[in-house]
Amino acid sequence: MKVGVVYPQIELGGDPNAVRRIGKAVEDLGFDYLLAYDHVLGAVHADRTPPLLGPYTERDPFHDPFVLFGYLAGITERIGLATGVLVLPQRQTALVARQAADVDLLSGGRLRLGVGVGWNHVEYEALGQDFRTRGAREEEQIELLRRLFVEPVVDFKGRFDQVDRAALLPKPARSIPIWLGGSGEKAFDRAARLADGFIFFGAGGVDGAVDSWTSMRERLINLDRSVEDFGAEYVALSRGVENLTPEVESWRAAGGTHLALSTMGFGLDSIDAHIDYLTSVKSALSGS
């Protein structure tokens, strides 16, 4: 099982020095990958119809994952780079293909593209996309992305995108893996049909993630898809080795392939504090 780290964008306030230091620390400490969340804009929650129910507001900083990873591709050598998750339907599909291909090429094939539909309708509106059709658009986008990654010339006429005999050059050296993330039956069904893996977020704890992973495996089997070829990631939100160790073991025993440690929300208000915490956790987990 690979163990990674969520980039802690909230406490670090958009500090560009933090990107370099956290990225290098994740690699130097021996973690397998760095995962980055995505939001283009944060919106004021008050007085909204329909309401905004997600966790981030206008006060929470985010770096663009492709720019972040393009930079980290040049200063790291080994760690994987994963979006978890890129809000795909609010972005132009062909542009995502270009950006993802370049990150994968510049990093030597280290990108994993985790995508989801998001929850912020204000963000969709600002980016000129329809929030109501985001699920259907994501499904079409996944098909088009895969074709752009591998086909010499793509001729595509869909409900949302059209590509009239055009090519993505340079292409990535492989078809970049596309994972889905989210919660709920629609997300699980979509992933079982279309994705290379799924990102289970830890709000419900590892027991909830294990139950969801069991359900996902049943979906895969019913669709005659290989469970062994499907990735399963758990984003652990617990603090402290005493809480993380049993979660890591439970996820490994359940057949999880990836686990990402989040350090956000723990009161770690400096780059050094995050690195020190990761150092202690890595040391403890390595000895367990």
Side-chain angles (χ1 to χ4, degrees):
M1 185 176 72
K2 295 184 177 181
V3 178
V5 173
V6 177
Y7 183 76
Q9 84 278 352
I10 297 300
E11 287 93 349
L12 301 182
D15 181 355
N17 188 45
V19 175
R20 178 183 61 81
R21 291 192 58 200
I22 295 292
K24 292 289 288 182
V26 168
E27 178 154 281
D28 293 343
L29 288 170
F31 288 101
D32 295 304
Y33 63 96
L34 184 70
L35 182 141
Y37 296 166
D38 168 54
H39 279 289
V40 176
L41 296 175
V44 175
H45 280 42
D47 302 320
R48 294 282 186 188
T49 305
L52 289 175
L53 302 177
Y56 304 111
T57 73
E58 79 283 0
R59 296 182 295 274
D60 296 311
F62 284 84
H63 295 292
D64 179 87
F66 290 129
V67 176
L68 179 80
F69 288 159
Y71 172 68
L72 289 174
I75 65 170
T76 62
E77 298 180 355
R78 180 189 55 79
I79 54 169
L81 306 168
T83 61
V85 295
L86 188 84
V87 186
L88 182 60
Q90 67 186 17
R91 295 172 179 259
Q92 297 167 303
T93 314
L95 182 58
V96 170
R98 176 71 275 143
Q99 293 169 319
D102 281 339
V103 169
D104 201 58
L105 285 165
L106 293 170
S107 67
R110 290 188 274 149
L111 178 66
R112 173 160 53 94
L113 190 60
V115 301
V117 298
W119 51 267
N120 189 336
H121 60 85
V122 176
E123 195 172 23
Y124 270 80
E125 181 180 2
L127 292 166
Q129 298 297 334
D130 187 351
F131 184 72
R132 296 166 299 178
T133 60
R134 63 195 187 281
R137 183 160 194 250
E138 181 181 56
E139 296 199 11
E140 184 179 291
Q141 287 178 295
I142 292 170
E143 176 189 355
L144 179 53
L145 284 171
R146 289 202 170 110
R147 291 185 59 182
L148 287 166
F149 289 152
V150 301
E151 294 183 12
V153 173
V154 173
D155 192 31
F156 184 91
K157 292 180 175 62
R159 176 182 171 189
F160 304 99
D161 282 302
Q162 295 192 22
V163 178
D164 184 2
R165 299 162 296 165
L168 183 76
L169 285 177
K171 296 186 184 303
R174 65 196 175 127
S175 183
I176 298 169
I178 300 176
W179 291 31
L180 265 64
S183 61
E185 298 302 309
K186 289 184 178 179
F188 296 154
D189 287 340
R190 186 176 296 126
R193 288 185 289 108
L194 302 175
D196 298 309
F198 196 85
I199 303 168
F200 300 90
F201 291 93
V206 71
D207 291 340
V210 169
D211 289 343
S212 296
W213 174 218
T214 300
S215 177
M216 180 69 75
R217 287 200 301 268
E218 293 172 354
R219 286 174 165 86
L220 294 168
I221 292 168
N222 290 336
L223 292 168
D224 292 324
R225 294 195 62 193
S226 170
V227 174
E228 289 72 22
D229 294 333
F230 193 90
E233 179 171 25
Y234 172 60
V235 179
L237 305 179
S238 297
R239 181 178 185 179
V241 173
E242 68 282 359
N243 296 317
L244 285 171
T245 299
E247 289 202 339
V248 170
E249 294 309 315
S250 293
W251 190 241
R252 181 182 286 115
T257 61
H258 294 66
L259 183 143
L261 306 172
S262 175
T263 62
M264 288 186 284
F266 298 166
L268 306 173
D269 58 359
S270 70
I271 301 170
D272 287 333
H274 283 273
I275 293 174
D276 289 345
Y277 177 80
L278 290 172
T279 301
S280 65
V281 169
K282 179 63 176 176
S283 176
L285 293 180
S286 297
S288 64

